[in-house]
């Protein structure tokens, strides 16, 4: 039975059902199958039950375009992962100080800017200084040149 339609069996399909019967240990117990039919409220035969998904497509052939598209998608995913790793790089206190200074320089170059922006910069500077004071480790010569 396929999607509610009965189909006629060929000799190869009958042989396949017989091989399945043999692989599960011989003949199907008619009483057990009758019990299953009753529980499921169906009259489908065991052979039709076994054949229900014979025509189900489980794989397919890809065209050259599909193969290339899949490979390009994988390469793009790898590049995105590399960018994510670069983005996750921890920022040092020194880099943060420079960023705040750069932002302050930018704000100073704007005409008619309100004091609230400079208050926000002052808050950022305090936060960076607190972090700088709480984290002390041996400095490197590179710290003095960047």
């Amino acid at each position: 039975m396929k999607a509610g339609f009965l189909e006629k069996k060929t000799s190869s399909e009958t042989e396949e059902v017989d091989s399945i019967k043999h692989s599960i240990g011989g003949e199907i117990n008619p009483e057990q199958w009758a019990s299953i039919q009753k529980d499921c409220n169906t009259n489908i035969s065991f052979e039709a039950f076994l054949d229900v998904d014979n025509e189900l497509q489980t794989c397919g052939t890809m065209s050259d375009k599909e193969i290339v598209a899949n490979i390009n998608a994988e390469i793009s995913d790898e590049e995105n992962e590399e960018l994510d790793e670069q983005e996750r790089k921890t920022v040092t206190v020194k880099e943060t100080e420079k960023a705040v200074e750069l932002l302050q320089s930018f704000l100073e170059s704007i005409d008619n800017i309100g004091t609230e922006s400079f208050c926000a910069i002052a808050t950022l500077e305090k936060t960076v200084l607190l972090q700088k004071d709480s984290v002390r480790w041996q400095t490197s010569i590179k710290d003095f040149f960047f």
Side-chain angles (χ1 to χ4, degrees), residues 65-79:
K65 287 182 182 180
E66 292 171 325
I67 293 170
V68 170
N70 284 345
I71 290 172
N72 287 339
E74 288 175 12
I75 290 171
S76 177
D77 289 344
E78 290 172 4
E79 288 173 353

Side-chain angles (χ1 to χ4, degrees), residues 93-94 132 135-145:
V93 174
K94 192 89 168 162
K132 184 178 183 178
V135 178
R136 296 279 182 189
W137 61 83
Q138 184 173 355
T139 59
S140 156
I141 191 119
K142 292 180 183 178
D143 291 337
F144 299 102
F145 295 109

Side-chain angles (χ1 to χ4, degrees), residues 91-134:
V91 179
T92 65
V93 174
K94 192 89 168 162
E95 292 171 328
T96 308
E97 286 176 328
K98 287 181 181 180
V100 171
E101 288 174 16
L102 181 65
L103 184 58
Q104 185 173 359
S105 296
F106 172 74
L107 291 176
E108 289 171 351
S109 68
I110 299 174
D111 294 332
N112 300 327
I113 191 158
T115 58
E116 63 275 351
S117 299
F118 290 105
C119 291
I121 292 292
T123 304
L124 289 173
E125 284 178 324
K126 287 178 187 176
T127 304
V128 172
L129 286 174
L130 287 173
Q131 182 64 28
K132 184 178 183 178
D133 291 339
S134 68

